[in-house]
Amino acid sequence: MTPRPPDAGAAVVFADASCAGGLSQVIAEAFFDLAVSRWLIPYPPARRRIFPGYFRLYLEHALGAGLVCTTPAQDAVALWLPAGKEAEPPPGDYGERLAAVTGQWIDRFRLFDQTLEDRHPTGYAHHHLAILAVRPDRQGHGTGSALLRAHHAALDRDSIPAYLEASDLRTRRFYLAHGYADCGGPLFLPEAVMYPMVRPPQAGQPPRPAASSGHTASAAPGPAPGDTR
């Protein structure tokens, strides 16, 4: 799928490798207090230390295998991964890198990955919204919605469905408002509940693209929690 340039009002651009450090920190801050995050690493100081490196794994994977959309200020990010009819394995070094980053918490991260992988849909091509995150001080300004609308337009143009895992009931309501519906029942983790959701392509939408090819100034793979903050 080849994105087209957005209209002048769409402040959405593609990220590149120079953005990985800053955007990893945005995700870490946005996801810090999610129920699933508190279960993955119960101790806040350890979570704060580990999360930026953990989410960098996902950034780097999406930069190489999918699309990473952000804003000119790099205060929000969406990671989209094209998925085929069959499940694809994570990068060959993912397991080693995950263990190195998460240390004593590795078993929880492995269970998290396996739980999401077991429910990921197969049988049709789609785009997986692995992560949608907005920096906490920018939440509530419509930035997450702007990132969604930008790529949804490209998916609608090419008749491609989208899939995600909402991290809680609040974000489930947000995605319902953007055309998603529940995809089977909830996902139950030891101390968190997540909600798989799918969005069919919408007919008759205006042809707006995923993002522009321009980049902002640089800031200093298995499944991931889909969310908006």
Side-chain angles (χ1 to χ4, degrees), residues 7-208:
D7 64 39
V12 178
V13 297
F14 287 133
D16 62 17
S18 70
C19 307
L23 292 179
S24 297
Q25 187 65 42
V26 168
I27 301 168
E29 293 174 4
F31 284 14
F32 186 78
D33 282 325
L34 295 180
V36 65
S37 300
R38 297 195 301 270
W39 169 71
L40 285 168
I41 304 178
Y43 301 106
R47 195 185 320 141
R48 196 172 301 280
R49 173 175 53 84
I50 290 170
F51 262 19
Y54 169 60
F55 288 114
R56 185 158 185 149
L57 297 180
Y58 296 94
L59 256 299
E60 292 177 355
H61 178 56
L63 284 167
L67 296 172
V68 177
C69 298
T70 185
T71 63
Q74 295 182 26
D75 54 9
V77 61
L79 274 59
W80 292 95
L81 292 169
K85 294 182 179 181
E86 303 298 329
E88 296 183 5
D93 62 349
Y94 173 70
E96 289 184 8
R97 296 182 68 191
L98 181 67
V101 168
T102 60
Q104 70 184 89
W105 312 108
I106 182 59
D107 288 342
R108 295 190 181 202
F109 282 86
R110 286 172 176 160
L111 176 60
F112 173 71
D113 283 355
Q114 190 61 56
T115 301
L116 269 62
E117 181 180 339
D118 288 347
R119 284 289 301 277
H120 197 108
T122 58
Y124 61 92
H126 58 280
H127 277 202
H128 179 204
L129 179 59
I131 288 177
L132 175 62
V134 179
R135 199 175 69 201
D137 64 344
R138 290 297 302 158
Q139 293 166 15
H141 294 271
T143 309
S145 292
L147 287 176
L148 276 185
R149 286 194 298 267
H151 195 59
H152 284 171
L155 297 179
D156 292 341
R157 185 190 69 219
D158 293 336
S159 299
I160 297 174
Y163 172 78
L164 56 83
E165 301 95 358
S167 61
D168 54 29
L169 285 171
R170 184 183 69 82
T171 54
R172 175 181 173 272
R173 289 193 294 271
F174 171 82
Y175 289 120
L176 286 170
H178 284 275
Y180 288 82
D182 292 323
C183 183
L187 285 169
F188 294 99
L189 290 157
E191 297 179 26
V193 181
M194 299 180 70
Y195 300 88
M197 305 184 78
V198 66
R199 177 187 182 273
Q202 308 293 307
Q205 298 297 315
R208 295 173 59 207

